[in-house]
Amino acid sequence: MSVFANFEQYLRDALVHLYDPTYQPHPSLVEIIGSDPQPGVQSLQARLIQEIESLKPSPNVPPNARIRLIYEVLSCRYLQSLTQEEAAKCVGITSRTLRRVQQQAIHLLAQRLWEENRGAAAPARGSFPETETQLSDTNEWHIQLKKELASLQESAPGLVTDTREIVYGAVEVGQALTSKHNVSLKVTLPEFPLMTTAHTSVLRQILIRAVGKLVQSMLAGEIIIKAQEAGEYINITITGFPAATTEPPHSDFIQEALATQSGLFETQVTGQQITFEIKIPSASKITVLVVDDNTDLVHFYRRYVAGTRYEIIHLAEGQRLFETIAHSSPDIIVLDVMLPGIDGWELLTHLHEHPDTRPIPVIVCSVVRGEEMALTLGATLYLQKPVRSRQFIEALDQALNQARREVLKAGANNATPG
């Protein structure tokens, strides 16, 4: 077992004893983390608590983001000392999923502590850089990878793609590698679209990398790719048979890339079968009700959202707002202030006061400069006209994510015993 693998095991043990004043941590853990051994175990425990809290995501991080799930699992299991069953209920996932995420969370925590105190990226599972040059190269690679992934993600906000098209594109490339190693590559996909918010290029490279990893773990045989929708996620399983190893393959690239897509990744070996399970967010249609008497502007909005998950319906008269909401059940409302017959501020007040419409996020979009007024009256965001394409899409994304966070928060509060 590598030094890092031992360090991760010592960390896991320390987390289990996070509030035990009599606990004796392994000396290697204290040395690597760099905590002062003189004050006793409390110094180490305080450092671990602080490190977990540093993972707490900002409010604008999407509710289904991987880092949010990781923080919540670490908080429930160790900061709050909940059992696995209690933590799973608290987070809103199954016990099996919690165990998987818990392993990923501890691994991530170990990586952060290692990098902070050793000044280099933690090695991937199954590998351990032995020299300073290797450590430096690994760290630079992680930094560059994160930059390129962030750049790709920012290049196409709001876009959705059919997962099937991405899979077929990846298979076309992957077959060159699998045929070289006498491995057949098959695909089993549903006939209906599997729309996802994952970036096309990022997901394509994830799949190609996964196929490559499986080929490295097989002497010959067959790889099968399947995909299906499961709630808020699309599950992609990539299975290789027969396996030439008992160790599940690991990929830093897949892990990092999926983190930018709010996805999850798990590998396992069962008998002679290796399975990669990749979860990416599904993308159902989002209805956006635009309340604006400027039809030309609404035309531009429709052009902005073309190819995204957003679908715009238009209402030019504010007097029919509640009737239209009851009929169309919009997910987001984009509201102008200067409307014929009724003031937009008045409509915003009614929307926020009514229990049926209060949960719907409202974006005030107007030439009237009134961000403070909009937010005070209950709007989620304020945009000043004219609005550019990227600005409009990013505002819709932000409003949707904030609304989902409120739903999750309300659900968690209702589930808490009074």
Side-chain angles (χ1 to χ4, degrees), residues 152-153 155-170 189 192-204 207 227 229 233-234 236 261 280-285 305-310:
L152 273 176
Q153 192 65 20
S155 68
L159 290 181
V160 296
T161 316
D162 188 350
T163 303
R164 301 175 307 166
E165 295 178 7
I166 304 175
V167 171
Y168 285 127
L189 300 176
F192 52 86
L194 296 171
M195 305 307 292
T196 179
T197 57
H199 192 286
T200 301
S201 180
V202 176
L203 180 55
R204 180 185 173 100
L207 297 175
E229 194 160 9
Y233 286 96
I234 294 173
I236 304 174
Q261 309 303 304
I280 55 174
S282 62
S284 55
K285 278 292 181 183
V305 301
T308 74
R309 57 182 158 170
Y310 298 110

mmCIF file of all heavy atoms in Angstrom, residues 152-153 155-170 189 192-204 207 227 229 233-234 236 261 280-285 305-310:
data_model
loop_
_atom_site.group_PDB
_atom_site.id
_atom_site.type_symbol
_atom_site.label_atom_id
_atom_site.label_comp_id
_atom_site.label_asym_id
_atom_site.label_seq_id
_atom_site.Cartn_x
_atom_site.Cartn_y
_atom_site.Cartn_z
ATOM 1 N N LEU A 152 -14.181 25.470 -21.018
ATOM 2 C CA LEU A 152 -15.186 24.785 -21.823
ATOM 3 C C LEU A 152 -16.582 24.997 -21.263
ATOM 4 O O LEU A 152 -17.539 25.256 -21.999
ATOM 5 C CB LEU A 152 -14.880 23.282 -21.885
ATOM 6 C CG LEU A 152 -13.939 22.791 -22.974
ATOM 7 C CD1 LEU A 152 -13.673 21.302 -22.806
ATOM 8 C CD2 LEU A 152 -14.511 23.054 -24.358
ATOM 9 N N GLN A 153 -16.703 24.884 -19.946
ATOM 10 C CA GLN A 153 -18.008 25.009 -19.309
ATOM 11 C C GLN A 153 -18.587 26.408 -19.510
ATOM 12 O O GLN A 153 -19.785 26.575 -19.733
ATOM 13 C CB GLN A 153 -17.892 24.691 -17.814
ATOM 14 C CG GLN A 153 -19.216 24.499 -17.117
ATOM 15 C CD GLN A 153 -19.967 23.281 -17.631
ATOM 16 O OE1 GLN A 153 -19.386 22.386 -18.227
ATOM 17 N NE2 GLN A 153 -21.271 23.275 -17.429
ATOM 18 N N SER A 155 -18.069 28.289 -22.001
ATOM 19 C CA SER A 155 -18.275 28.583 -23.417
ATOM 20 C C SER A 155 -19.693 28.305 -23.891
ATOM 21 O O SER A 155 -20.099 28.794 -24.943
ATOM 22 C CB SER A 155 -17.295 27.757 -24.272
ATOM 23 O OG SER A 155 -17.607 26.370 -24.201
ATOM 24 N N ALA A 156 -20.454 27.504 -23.149
ATOM 25 C CA ALA A 156 -21.789 27.118 -23.623
ATOM 26 C C ALA A 156 -22.783 27.013 -22.479
ATOM 27 O O ALA A 156 -23.266 25.930 -22.168
ATOM 28 C CB ALA A 156 -21.705 25.787 -24.367
ATOM 29 N N PRO A 157 -23.128 28.137 -21.831
ATOM 30 C CA PRO A 157 -24.104 28.072 -20.732
ATOM 31 C C PRO A 157 -25.492 27.721 -21.241
ATOM 32 O O PRO A 157 -25.925 28.179 -22.292
ATOM 33 C CB PRO A 157 -24.084 29.497 -20.168
ATOM 34 C CG PRO A 157 -23.640 30.351 -21.310
ATOM 35 C CD PRO A 157 -22.680 29.509 -22.085
ATOM 36 N N GLY A 158 -26.200 26.875 -20.500
ATOM 37 C CA GLY A 158 -27.587 26.581 -20.813
ATOM 38 C C GLY A 158 -27.834 25.564 -21.899
ATOM 39 O O GLY A 158 -28.964 25.142 -22.099
ATOM 40 N N LEU A 159 -26.812 25.130 -22.627
ATOM 41 C CA LEU A 159 -27.033 24.212 -23.739
ATOM 42 C C LEU A 159 -27.350 22.800 -23.242
ATOM 43 O O LEU A 159 -26.826 22.353 -22.219
ATOM 44 C CB LEU A 159 -25.803 24.161 -24.650
ATOM 45 C CG LEU A 159 -25.531 25.418 -25.485
ATOM 46 C CD1 LEU A 159 -24.288 25.209 -26.350
ATOM 47 C CD2 LEU A 159 -26.726 25.754 -26.363
ATOM 48 N N VAL A 160 -28.190 22.107 -23.976
ATOM 49 C CA VAL A 160 -28.511 20.713 -23.668
ATOM 50 C C VAL A 160 -28.242 19.866 -24.905
ATOM 51 O O VAL A 160 -28.320 20.344 -26.033
ATOM 52 C CB VAL A 160 -29.978 20.545 -23.229
ATOM 53 C CG1 VAL A 160 -30.234 21.279 -21.938
ATOM 54 C CG2 VAL A 160 -30.941 21.047 -24.306
ATOM 55 N N THR A 161 -27.912 18.604 -24.665
ATOM 56 C CA THR A 161 -27.560 17.702 -25.757
ATOM 57 C C THR A 161 -28.148 16.331 -25.489
ATOM 58 O O THR A 161 -28.324 15.936 -24.333
ATOM 59 C CB THR A 161 -26.026 17.567 -25.874
ATOM 60 O OG1 THR A 161 -25.416 18.848 -25.763
ATOM 61 C CG2 THR A 161 -25.625 16.936 -27.197
ATOM 62 N N ASP A 162 -28.406 15.591 -26.550
ATOM 63 C CA ASP A 162 -28.864 14.217 -26.433
ATOM 64 C C ASP A 162 -27.661 13.337 -26.099
ATOM 65 O O ASP A 162 -26.695 13.263 -26.869
ATOM 66 C CB ASP A 162 -29.510 13.763 -27.744
ATOM 67 C CG ASP A 162 -30.183 12.399 -27.614
ATOM 68 O OD1 ASP A 162 -29.987 11.724 -26.584
ATOM 69 O OD2 ASP A 162 -30.891 12.008 -28.557
ATOM 70 N N THR A 163 -27.716 12.682 -24.939
ATOM 71 C CA THR A 163 -26.620 11.825 -24.504
ATOM 72 C C THR A 163 -26.294 10.751 -25.537
ATOM 73 O O THR A 163 -25.132 10.366 -25.708
ATOM 74 C CB THR A 163 -26.975 11.155 -23.155
ATOM 75 O OG1 THR A 163 -27.267 12.178 -22.202
ATOM 76 C CG2 THR A 163 -25.844 10.296 -22.638
ATOM 77 N N ARG A 164 -27.302 10.277 -26.234
ATOM 78 C CA ARG A 164 -27.080 9.214 -27.217
ATOM 79 C C ARG A 164 -26.113 9.658 -28.308
ATOM 80 O O ARG A 164 -25.242 8.894 -28.733
ATOM 81 C CB ARG A 164 -28.411 8.779 -27.832
ATOM 82 C CG ARG A 164 -29.431 8.251 -26.822
ATOM 83 C CD ARG A 164 -30.744 7.960 -27.508
ATOM 84 N NE ARG A 164 -31.205 9.127 -28.270
ATOM 85 C CZ ARG A 164 -32.170 9.080 -29.171
ATOM 86 N NH1 ARG A 164 -32.768 7.929 -29.444
ATOM 87 N NH2 ARG A 164 -32.543 10.182 -29.807
ATOM 88 N N GLU A 165 -26.246 10.905 -28.779
ATOM 89 C CA GLU A 165 -25.359 11.413 -29.819
ATOM 90 C C GLU A 165 -23.911 11.467 -29.329
ATOM 91 O O GLU A 165 -22.977 11.159 -30.070
ATOM 92 C CB GLU A 165 -25.820 12.803 -30.253
ATOM 93 C CG GLU A 165 -27.185 12.829 -30.918
ATOM 94 C CD GLU A 165 -27.610 14.237 -31.285
ATOM 95 O OE1 GLU A 165 -26.770 15.162 -31.124
ATOM 96 O OE2 GLU A 165 -28.752 14.426 -31.733
ATOM 97 N N ILE A 166 -23.745 11.867 -28.065
ATOM 98 C CA ILE A 166 -22.395 11.944 -27.501
ATOM 99 C C ILE A 166 -21.792 10.548 -27.377
ATOM 100 O O ILE A 166 -20.610 10.335 -27.673
ATOM 101 C CB ILE A 166 -22.429 12.638 -26.126
ATOM 102 C CG1 ILE A 166 -23.088 14.019 -26.249
ATOM 103 C CG2 ILE A 166 -21.025 12.773 -25.559
ATOM 104 C CD1 ILE A 166 -23.288 14.732 -24.933
ATOM 105 N N VAL A 167 -22.609 9.577 -26.937
ATOM 106 C CA VAL A 167 -22.119 8.200 -26.805
ATOM 107 C C VAL A 167 -21.684 7.647 -28.159
ATOM 108 O O VAL A 167 -20.601 7.076 -28.296
ATOM 109 C CB VAL A 167 -23.197 7.297 -26.176
ATOM 110 C CG1 VAL A 167 -22.779 5.831 -26.254
ATOM 111 C CG2 VAL A 167 -23.459 7.701 -24.725
ATOM 112 N N TYR A 168 -22.518 7.827 -29.170
ATOM 113 C CA TYR A 168 -22.173 7.309 -30.497
ATOM 114 C C TYR A 168 -20.902 7.964 -31.039
ATOM 115 O O TYR A 168 -20.075 7.310 -31.691
ATOM 116 C CB TYR A 168 -23.339 7.524 -31.463
ATOM 117 C CG TYR A 168 -24.483 6.573 -31.251
ATOM 118 C CD1 TYR A 168 -25.787 7.045 -31.079
ATOM 119 C CD2 TYR A 168 -24.277 5.188 -31.205
ATOM 120 C CE1 TYR A 168 -26.853 6.175 -30.876
ATOM 121 C CE2 TYR A 168 -25.337 4.312 -30.990
ATOM 122 C CZ TYR A 168 -26.620 4.810 -30.834
ATOM 123 O OH TYR A 168 -27.671 3.946 -30.629
ATOM 124 N N GLY A 169 -20.737 9.254 -30.773
ATOM 125 C CA GLY A 169 -19.516 9.933 -31.203
ATOM 126 C C GLY A 169 -18.287 9.392 -30.503
ATOM 127 O O GLY A 169 -17.228 9.212 -31.124
ATOM 128 N N ALA A 170 -18.424 9.117 -29.199
ATOM 129 C CA ALA A 170 -17.299 8.558 -28.443
ATOM 130 C C ALA A 170 -16.972 7.141 -28.906
ATOM 131 O O ALA A 170 -15.796 6.748 -28.990
ATOM 132 C CB ALA A 170 -17.623 8.566 -26.951
ATOM 133 N N LEU A 189 -28.737 1.580 -26.268
ATOM 134 C CA LEU A 189 -29.339 2.838 -25.859
ATOM 135 C C LEU A 189 -30.827 2.851 -26.188
ATOM 136 O O LEU A 189 -31.260 2.193 -27.136
ATOM 137 C CB LEU A 189 -28.659 4.018 -26.576
ATOM 138 C CG LEU A 189 -27.156 4.202 -26.335
ATOM 139 C CD1 LEU A 189 -26.626 5.339 -27.195
ATOM 140 C CD2 LEU A 189 -26.872 4.473 -24.873
ATOM 141 N N PHE A 192 -35.579 6.799 -27.385
ATOM 142 C CA PHE A 192 -35.971 8.176 -27.098
ATOM 143 C C PHE A 192 -34.763 8.982 -26.617
ATOM 144 O O PHE A 192 -33.783 8.426 -26.110
ATOM 145 C CB PHE A 192 -37.074 8.205 -26.036
ATOM 146 C CG PHE A 192 -36.750 7.418 -24.797
ATOM 147 C CD1 PHE A 192 -36.025 7.980 -23.752
ATOM 148 C CD2 PHE A 192 -37.170 6.092 -24.682
ATOM 149 C CE1 PHE A 192 -35.735 7.257 -22.614
ATOM 150 C CE2 PHE A 192 -36.876 5.354 -23.539
ATOM 151 C CZ PHE A 192 -36.157 5.938 -22.515
ATOM 152 N N PRO A 193 -34.795 10.305 -26.783
ATOM 153 C CA PRO A 193 -33.669 11.162 -26.380
ATOM 154 C C PRO A 193 -33.390 11.103 -24.884
ATOM 155 O O PRO A 193 -34.301 10.932 -24.076
ATOM 156 C CB PRO A 193 -34.121 12.564 -26.804
ATOM 157 C CG PRO A 193 -35.167 12.344 -27.837
ATOM 158 C CD PRO A 193 -35.862 11.073 -27.453
ATOM 159 N N LEU A 194 -32.133 11.258 -24.534
ATOM 160 C CA LEU A 194 -31.696 11.362 -23.141
ATOM 161 C C LEU A 194 -30.987 12.707 -22.999
ATOM 162 O O LEU A 194 -29.756 12.790 -23.081
ATOM 163 C CB LEU A 194 -30.760 10.212 -22.769
ATOM 164 C CG LEU A 194 -31.332 8.795 -22.809
ATOM 165 C CD1 LEU A 194 -30.224 7.766 -22.619
ATOM 166 C CD2 LEU A 194 -32.397 8.619 -21.737
ATOM 167 N N MET A 195 -31.748 13.759 -22.803
ATOM 168 C CA MET A 195 -31.188 15.102 -22.814
ATOM 169 C C MET A 195 -30.433 15.390 -21.512
ATOM 170 O O MET A 195 -30.892 15.081 -20.420
ATOM 171 C CB MET A 195 -32.292 16.146 -23.005
ATOM 172 C CG MET A 195 -33.147 15.918 -24.248
ATOM 173 S SD MET A 195 -32.187 15.746 -25.784
ATOM 174 C CE MET A 195 -31.552 17.425 -25.956
ATOM 175 N N THR A 196 -29.258 15.997 -21.671
ATOM 176 C CA THR A 196 -28.416 16.302 -20.521
ATOM 177 C C THR A 196 -27.856 17.711 -20.625
ATOM 178 O O THR A 196 -27.716 18.262 -21.726
ATOM 179 C CB THR A 196 -27.235 15.308 -20.413
ATOM 180 O OG1 THR A 196 -26.429 15.651 -19.283
ATOM 181 C CG2 THR A 196 -26.361 15.343 -21.660
ATOM 182 N N THR A 197 -27.523 18.296 -19.465
ATOM 183 C CA THR A 197 -26.882 19.606 -19.432
ATOM 184 C C THR A 197 -25.365 19.484 -19.474
ATOM 185 O O THR A 197 -24.661 20.490 -19.497
ATOM 186 C CB THR A 197 -27.280 20.369 -18.162
ATOM 187 O OG1 THR A 197 -26.926 19.587 -17.005
ATOM 188 C CG2 THR A 197 -28.767 20.648 -18.129
ATOM 189 N N ALA A 198 -24.837 18.261 -19.459
ATOM 190 C CA ALA A 198 -23.386 18.057 -19.511
ATOM 191 C C ALA A 198 -22.834 18.592 -20.823
ATOM 192 O O ALA A 198 -23.451 18.450 -21.883
ATOM 193 C CB ALA A 198 -23.055 16.576 -19.360
ATOM 194 N N HIS A 199 -21.670 19.202 -20.768
ATOM 195 C CA HIS A 199 -21.040 19.759 -21.957
ATOM 196 C C HIS A 199 -20.658 18.631 -22.917
ATOM 197 O O HIS A 199 -20.061 17.633 -22.525
ATOM 198 C CB HIS A 199 -19.791 20.551 -21.564
ATOM 199 C CG HIS A 199 -19.227 21.386 -22.655
ATOM 200 N ND1 HIS A 199 -18.528 20.849 -23.710
ATOM 201 C CD2 HIS A 199 -19.267 22.724 -22.864
ATOM 202 C CE1 HIS A 199 -18.140 21.823 -24.515
ATOM 203 N NE2 HIS A 199 -18.581 22.976 -24.029
ATOM 204 N N THR A 200 -20.999 18.796 -24.191
ATOM 205 C CA THR A 200 -20.786 17.744 -25.187
ATOM 206 C C THR A 200 -19.343 17.281 -25.237
ATOM 207 O O THR A 200 -19.050 16.079 -25.179
ATOM 208 C CB THR A 200 -21.219 18.239 -26.581
ATOM 209 O OG1 THR A 200 -22.582 18.602 -26.550
ATOM 210 C CG2 THR A 200 -21.012 17.154 -27.624
ATOM 211 N N SER A 201 -18.416 18.217 -25.349
ATOM 212 C CA SER A 201 -17.007 17.864 -25.495
ATOM 213 C C SER A 201 -16.459 17.200 -24.238
ATOM 214 O O SER A 201 -15.702 16.230 -24.307
ATOM 215 C CB SER A 201 -16.192 19.120 -25.820
ATOM 216 O OG SER A 201 -14.821 18.802 -25.972
ATOM 217 N N VAL A 202 -16.873 17.715 -23.066
ATOM 218 C CA VAL A 202 -16.381 17.150 -21.807
ATOM 219 C C VAL A 202 -16.870 15.713 -21.641
ATOM 220 O O VAL A 202 -16.095 14.805 -21.326
ATOM 221 C CB VAL A 202 -16.829 18.009 -20.610
ATOM 222 C CG1 VAL A 202 -16.394 17.361 -19.297
ATOM 223 C CG2 VAL A 202 -16.244 19.410 -20.711
ATOM 224 N N LEU A 203 -18.160 15.490 -21.859
ATOM 225 C CA LEU A 203 -18.713 14.146 -21.702
ATOM 226 C C LEU A 203 -18.111 13.187 -22.728
ATOM 227 O O LEU A 203 -17.830 12.026 -22.408
ATOM 228 C CB LEU A 203 -20.229 14.180 -21.840
ATOM 229 C CG LEU A 203 -20.953 12.827 -21.685
ATOM 230 C CD1 LEU A 203 -20.603 12.168 -20.354
ATOM 231 C CD2 LEU A 203 -22.470 13.001 -21.792
ATOM 232 N N ARG A 204 -17.911 13.636 -23.924
ATOM 233 C CA ARG A 204 -17.303 12.796 -24.964
ATOM 234 C C ARG A 204 -15.924 12.316 -24.528
ATOM 235 O O ARG A 204 -15.597 11.127 -24.641
ATOM 236 C CB ARG A 204 -17.207 13.606 -26.261
ATOM 237 C CG ARG A 204 -16.599 12.856 -27.451
ATOM 238 C CD ARG A 204 -16.454 13.832 -28.605
ATOM 239 N NE ARG A 204 -15.738 13.276 -29.716
ATOM 240 C CZ ARG A 204 -16.307 12.780 -30.813
ATOM 241 N NH1 ARG A 204 -17.619 12.755 -30.904
ATOM 242 N NH2 ARG A 204 -15.572 12.310 -31.807
ATOM 243 N N LEU A 207 -16.120 9.654 -21.752
ATOM 244 C CA LEU A 207 -16.468 8.318 -22.257
ATOM 245 C C LEU A 207 -15.284 7.667 -22.975
ATOM 246 O O LEU A 207 -15.027 6.474 -22.796
ATOM 247 C CB LEU A 207 -17.669 8.420 -23.193
ATOM 248 C CG LEU A 207 -18.968 8.926 -22.561
ATOM 249 C CD1 LEU A 207 -20.056 9.092 -23.618
ATOM 250 C CD2 LEU A 207 -19.437 7.980 -21.461
ATOM 251 N N ALA A 227 -27.147 3.292 -21.364
ATOM 252 C CA ALA A 227 -27.564 4.554 -20.744
ATOM 253 C C ALA A 227 -29.061 4.532 -20.502
ATOM 254 O O ALA A 227 -29.830 4.009 -21.324
ATOM 255 C CB ALA A 227 -27.189 5.735 -21.631
ATOM 256 N N GLU A 229 -32.328 6.920 -18.196
ATOM 257 C CA GLU A 229 -32.673 8.039 -17.331
ATOM 258 C C GLU A 229 -33.134 7.513 -15.982
ATOM 259 O O GLU A 229 -33.898 6.549 -15.905
ATOM 260 C CB GLU A 229 -33.764 8.896 -17.971
ATOM 261 C CG GLU A 229 -33.935 10.245 -17.310
ATOM 262 C CD GLU A 229 -34.640 11.246 -18.200
ATOM 263 O OE1 GLU A 229 -35.146 10.848 -19.269
ATOM 264 O OE2 GLU A 229 -34.693 12.427 -17.817
ATOM 265 N N TYR A 233 -30.892 12.207 -12.903
ATOM 266 C CA TYR A 233 -29.628 11.821 -13.531
ATOM 267 C C TYR A 233 -29.858 10.911 -14.740
ATOM 268 O O TYR A 233 -30.901 10.269 -14.873
ATOM 269 C CB TYR A 233 -28.730 11.088 -12.532
ATOM 270 C CG TYR A 233 -28.096 11.976 -11.493
ATOM 271 C CD1 TYR A 233 -28.678 12.136 -10.237
ATOM 272 C CD2 TYR A 233 -26.919 12.659 -11.754
ATOM 273 C CE1 TYR A 233 -28.100 12.947 -9.273
ATOM 274 C CE2 TYR A 233 -26.326 13.472 -10.805
ATOM 275 C CZ TYR A 233 -26.920 13.612 -9.571
ATOM 276 O OH TYR A 233 -26.336 14.424 -8.632
ATOM 277 N N ILE A 234 -28.861 10.866 -15.594
ATOM 278 C CA ILE A 234 -28.766 9.858 -16.642
ATOM 279 C C ILE A 234 -27.606 8.947 -16.250
ATOM 280 O O ILE A 234 -26.487 9.420 -16.027
ATOM 281 C CB ILE A 234 -28.517 10.495 -18.017
ATOM 282 C CG1 ILE A 234 -29.732 11.311 -18.439
ATOM 283 C CG2 ILE A 234 -28.216 9.419 -19.061
ATOM 284 C CD1 ILE A 234 -29.529 12.124 -19.696
ATOM 285 N N ILE A 236 -24.948 6.202 -17.101
ATOM 286 C CA ILE A 236 -24.201 5.570 -18.189
ATOM 287 C C ILE A 236 -23.310 4.502 -17.571
ATOM 288 O O ILE A 236 -22.459 4.803 -16.732
ATOM 289 C CB ILE A 236 -23.341 6.590 -18.957
ATOM 290 C CG1 ILE A 236 -24.196 7.726 -19.492
ATOM 291 C CG2 ILE A 236 -22.602 5.905 -20.100
ATOM 292 C CD1 ILE A 236 -23.402 8.839 -20.145
ATOM 293 N N GLN A 261 -19.361 18.951 -14.195
ATOM 294 C CA GLN A 261 -20.688 18.699 -14.770
ATOM 295 C C GLN A 261 -21.720 18.308 -13.713
ATOM 296 O O GLN A 261 -22.815 17.853 -14.057
ATOM 297 C CB GLN A 261 -20.591 17.566 -15.812
ATOM 298 C CG GLN A 261 -19.509 17.751 -16.846
ATOM 299 C CD GLN A 261 -19.647 19.049 -17.607
ATOM 300 O OE1 GLN A 261 -20.692 19.321 -18.201
ATOM 301 N NE2 GLN A 261 -18.602 19.865 -17.593
ATOM 302 N N ILE A 280 -24.722 11.697 -14.944
ATOM 303 C CA ILE A 280 -24.709 13.080 -15.398
ATOM 304 C C ILE A 280 -26.113 13.664 -15.246
ATOM 305 O O ILE A 280 -27.098 12.925 -15.285
ATOM 306 C CB ILE A 280 -24.250 13.191 -16.867
ATOM 307 C CG1 ILE A 280 -25.112 12.295 -17.765
ATOM 308 C CG2 ILE A 280 -22.771 12.842 -16.991
ATOM 309 C CD1 ILE A 280 -24.822 12.440 -19.233
ATOM 310 N N PRO A 281 -26.235 14.973 -15.041
ATOM 311 C CA PRO A 281 -27.568 15.568 -14.844
ATOM 312 C C PRO A 281 -28.439 15.444 -16.099
ATOM 313 O O PRO A 281 -27.969 15.664 -17.214
ATOM 314 C CB PRO A 281 -27.262 17.043 -14.549
ATOM 315 C CG PRO A 281 -25.825 17.069 -14.151
ATOM 316 C CD PRO A 281 -25.162 15.965 -14.903
ATOM 317 N N SER A 282 -29.681 15.058 -15.919
ATOM 318 C CA SER A 282 -30.623 15.046 -17.034
ATOM 319 C C SER A 282 -31.180 16.460 -17.215
ATOM 320 O O SER A 282 -31.090 17.291 -16.313
ATOM 321 C CB SER A 282 -31.764 14.056 -16.782
ATOM 322 O OG SER A 282 -32.499 14.432 -15.637
ATOM 323 N N ALA A 283 -31.753 16.716 -18.383
ATOM 324 C CA ALA A 283 -32.217 18.070 -18.689
ATOM 325 C C ALA A 283 -33.645 18.039 -19.199
ATOM 326 O O ALA A 283 -33.887 17.859 -20.383
ATOM 327 C CB ALA A 283 -31.302 18.721 -19.732
ATOM 328 N N SER A 284 -34.590 18.193 -18.294
ATOM 329 C CA SER A 284 -35.979 18.304 -18.711
ATOM 330 C C SER A 284 -36.247 19.744 -19.142
ATOM 331 O O SER A 284 -35.514 20.671 -18.794
ATOM 332 C CB SER A 284 -36.902 17.927 -17.554
ATOM 333 O OG SER A 284 -36.608 18.725 -16.415
ATOM 334 N N LYS A 285 -37.294 19.942 -19.916
ATOM 335 C CA LYS A 285 -37.627 21.272 -20.403
ATOM 336 C C LYS A 285 -38.018 22.201 -19.249
ATOM 337 O O LYS A 285 -38.724 21.799 -18.338
ATOM 338 C CB LYS A 285 -38.766 21.189 -21.413
ATOM 339 C CG LYS A 285 -38.320 20.831 -22.819
ATOM 340 C CD LYS A 285 -37.510 21.958 -23.444
ATOM 341 C CE LYS A 285 -37.072 21.631 -24.860
ATOM 342 N NZ LYS A 285 -36.221 22.706 -25.430
ATOM 343 N N VAL A 305 -32.411 31.347 -26.334
ATOM 344 C CA VAL A 305 -32.561 30.050 -25.665
ATOM 345 C C VAL A 305 -32.629 28.883 -26.654
ATOM 346 O O VAL A 305 -32.797 27.735 -26.227
ATOM 347 C CB VAL A 305 -33.811 30.025 -24.761
ATOM 348 C CG1 VAL A 305 -33.731 31.117 -23.705
ATOM 349 C CG2 VAL A 305 -35.091 30.149 -25.576
ATOM 350 N N ALA A 306 -32.519 29.164 -27.941
ATOM 351 C CA ALA A 306 -32.564 28.084 -28.931
ATOM 352 C C ALA A 306 -31.452 27.067 -28.652
ATOM 353 O O ALA A 306 -30.294 27.431 -28.467
ATOM 354 C CB ALA A 306 -32.413 28.658 -30.339
ATOM 355 N N GLY A 307 -31.818 25.797 -28.604
ATOM 356 C CA GLY A 307 -30.848 24.744 -28.331
ATOM 357 C C GLY A 307 -30.591 24.492 -26.866
ATOM 358 O O GLY A 307 -29.781 23.639 -26.514
ATOM 359 N N THR A 308 -31.268 25.247 -25.974
ATOM 360 C CA THR A 308 -31.125 25.027 -24.534
ATOM 361 C C THR A 308 -32.358 24.302 -24.004
ATOM 362 O O THR A 308 -33.282 23.988 -24.758
ATOM 363 C CB THR A 308 -30.964 26.364 -23.779
ATOM 364 O OG1 THR A 308 -32.225 27.039 -23.732
ATOM 365 C CG2 THR A 308 -29.934 27.262 -24.470
ATOM 366 N N ARG A 309 -32.388 24.051 -22.710
ATOM 367 C CA ARG A 309 -33.544 23.393 -22.103
ATOM 368 C C ARG A 309 -34.696 24.362 -21.846
ATOM 369 O O ARG A 309 -35.767 23.956 -21.417
ATOM 370 C CB ARG A 309 -33.124 22.736 -20.785
ATOM 371 C CG ARG A 309 -32.497 23.700 -19.786
ATOM 372 C CD ARG A 309 -32.063 22.984 -18.535
ATOM 373 N NE ARG A 309 -31.033 23.748 -17.834
ATOM 374 C CZ ARG A 309 -30.606 23.472 -16.628
ATOM 375 N NH1 ARG A 309 -31.131 22.453 -15.983
ATOM 376 N NH2 ARG A 309 -29.644 24.164 -16.063
ATOM 377 N N TYR A 310 -34.451 25.659 -22.090
ATOM 378 C CA TYR A 310 -35.464 26.661 -21.786
ATOM 379 C C TYR A 310 -36.438 26.843 -22.948
ATOM 380 O O TYR A 310 -36.043 26.924 -24.108
ATOM 381 C CB TYR A 310 -34.793 27.994 -21.447
ATOM 382 C CG TYR A 310 -33.923 27.904 -20.217
ATOM 383 C CD1 TYR A 310 -32.529 27.987 -20.309
ATOM 384 C CD2 TYR A 310 -34.486 27.702 -18.966
ATOM 385 C CE1 TYR A 310 -31.730 27.888 -19.186
ATOM 386 C CE2 TYR A 310 -33.690 27.604 -17.830
ATOM 387 C CZ TYR A 310 -32.318 27.692 -17.945
ATOM 388 O OH TYR A 310 -31.529 27.582 -16.837
#
